[in-house]
Amino acid sequence: MTDPALIWSYLAQGPLIWLTATLVAYLAGDALFRAAGRASWANPVMIAIVVLGLLLWVTGTDYQTYFEGAQFVHFMLGPATVALALPLYDNLPRVRRAAWPMLAGLIAGSTVAVVSVLLIARGFGIGGPVLASLAPKSTTAPVAIGIAERIGGQPTLTAAMVLLTGIFGAIIATPLLNALHIRDWRARGFSVGVAAHGIGTARAFQVNQTAGAFAGIGMGLNAVLTAIIAPLALRFLGG
């Protein structure tokens, strides 16, 4: 086969091409991120999503075909989330010393994340499965998708909102926390983990190891609490 169109048609049928495309897109995003001096606006996940979106659009590939190859990356989200227990274990003495402030921040962050999006969506006349899909947007993707399925949401929409929330949180976290003069790396990391799950946690690790560790703790605890709060909030605010 010498025709490029035929070669692409042949390669696109196999799942390996889309797994490779996903990894290459992220590596390209990470290279641009480093070239930009690790600026928050040059988020590698955001860049990778744009690159992959353009590739799928240009090649006319539907999401289902792409996901057949990229589902290995999706599968790894689960073990990666469970592995966040390691920062909790490594920092257990520090967590104990800051237990009450962290508990207060966790409850406030999780509650505001769920209730605010439901109230805003209701204000715009959104209801039904779409409203249920928005409720768990601030927790990590594997947990958010499971919550959405349980409360009658659309997992695909939830996954998209999780990505947008994480990217937005990772971009604004550093300048916002700097503007608020918050210098404690534990507080900075924990707040980012609660508000912006995995993508925010990755950004926290890029800035400071302590912030990254506490972001991982916040992300894991928020996943548990959101699973409790989201169904209850939807029941009272879902109409």
Side-chain angles (χ1 to χ4, degrees):
M1 294 186 296
T2 58
D3 186 344
L6 291 176
I7 294 174
W8 173 257
S9 178
Y10 173 75
L11 291 175
Q13 299 305 312
L16 184 60
I17 186 67
W18 296 115
L19 175 59
T20 303
T22 302
L23 297 176
V24 170
Y26 182 80
L27 289 174
D30 187 61
L32 291 173
F33 174 66
R34 293 174 186 273
R38 297 181 178 271
S40 59
W41 54 265
N43 187 275
V45 175
M46 178 180 66
I47 295 171
I49 290 173
V50 172
V51 171
L52 281 173
L54 289 174
L55 179 61
L56 295 177
W57 177 64
V58 169
T59 60
T61 304
D62 61 85
Y63 176 77
Q64 187 60 41
T65 301
Y66 162 76
F67 189 71
E68 287 178 3
Q71 60 182 334
F72 177 74
V73 178
H74 177 77
F75 168 78
M76 292 304 296
L77 286 173
T81 303
V82 175
L84 289 172
L86 292 176
L88 176 61
Y89 178 78
D90 290 339
N91 290 273
L92 198 55
R94 302 172 73 181
V95 171
R96 286 173 178 165
R97 290 195 296 269
W100 287 112
M102 290 175 65
L103 179 61
L106 174 66
I107 293 174
S110 298
T111 303
V112 170
V114 175
V115 172
S116 63
V117 73
L118 292 178
L119 290 176
I120 293 171
R122 282 292 306 276
F124 282 95
I126 296 174
V130 175
L131 189 66
S133 303
L134 296 175
K137 64 161 182 64
S138 290
T139 191
T140 184
V143 177
I145 291 172
I147 295 173
E149 290 175 340
R150 189 178 69 178
I151 62 179
Q154 301 170 353
T156 303
L157 178 58
T158 297
M161 294 306 301
V162 167
L163 279 174
L164 291 174
T165 300
I167 291 172
F168 183 73
I171 290 174
I172 70 167
T174 298
L176 176 61
L177 292 171
N178 287 341
L180 294 173
H181 303 290
I182 297 175
R183 306 303 182 195
D184 190 320
W185 289 115
R186 298 171 301 170
R188 290 173 69 106
F190 191 76
S191 61
V192 172
V194 170
H197 49 80
I199 300 176
T201 298
R203 172 60 182 168
F205 269 113
Q206 292 164 352
V207 175
N208 180 273
Q209 286 297 313
T210 298
F214 274 81
I217 295 168
M219 173 183 165
L221 295 176
N222 182 52
V224 176
L225 191 55
T226 300
I228 299 171
I229 293 175
L232 296 174
L234 184 64
R235 183 181 305 172
F236 287 105
L237 301 175

